[in-house]
Amino acid sequence: QVQLVESGGGLVQPGGSLRLSCVVSGITFNRYAMSWYRQAPGKEREFVAVISSAGGYANYADSVKARFTISRDNAKNTVYLQMNSLKPDDTAVYYCKAASHVGAIDGYWGQGTQVTVSS
């Protein structure tokens, strides 16, 4: 069974930082592109970042570009999202997704981790 388990969420003040992790099992991790998405209450789930299977390519939503960094450690079957300069608008449940390649519309999802940015 494929499992993606996010962690690292929590409450942080505006301007603060968090590092999310997603540990993946049940797939050959280094064959999958990994993405982060987020969903705020009452809003659609939106793309945040993606990284290719070997880590050589990454892309970000404009809203997080220059503030967030996606990375992966294929030896640990883990993808990370370093979030800096956090804003209240970053408040959302953050989800990890595994897909067969960058741009794939199908894939596997984690259950999410809550990030709250508030004073």
Side-chain angles (χ1 to χ4, degrees), residues 25-45:
S25 61
I27 60 171
T28 304
F29 180 73
N30 64 7
R31 293 185 179 180
Y32 282 78
M34 298 297 303
S35 299
W36 289 95
Y37 287 73
R38 67 187 183 187
Q39 188 166 22
K43 300 213 171 188
E44 298 177 350
R45 189 169 298 188

Side-chain angles (χ1 to χ4, degrees), residues 19 21-25 29-30 72-80:
R19 189 195 195 202
S21 298
C22 174
V23 179
V24 181
S25 61
F29 180 73
N30 64 7
R72 67 192 296 159
D73 186 341
N74 284 351
K76 297 180 178 179
N77 285 12
T78 302
V79 63
Y80 305 94

Side-chain angles (χ1 to χ4, degrees), residues 35-41 43-50 60-64 67-68 81 88-97 109:
S35 299
W36 289 95
Y37 287 73
R38 67 187 183 187
Q39 188 166 22
K43 300 213 171 188
E44 298 177 350
R45 189 169 298 188
E46 66 174 348
F47 167 79
V48 175
V50 62
Y60 302 88
D62 288 343
S63 58
V64 307
R67 298 189 299 119
F68 291 10
L81 186 68
D89 285 349
D90 296 320
T91 296
V93 177
Y94 283 71
Y95 297 92
C96 180
K97 178 191 176 183
W109 293 88

Side-chain angles (χ1 to χ4, degrees), residues 4-22:
L4 291 76
V5 181
E6 300 95 335
S7 63
L11 175 64
V12 64
Q13 294 188 126
S17 297
L18 284 173
R19 189 195 195 202
L20 306 183
S21 298
C22 174

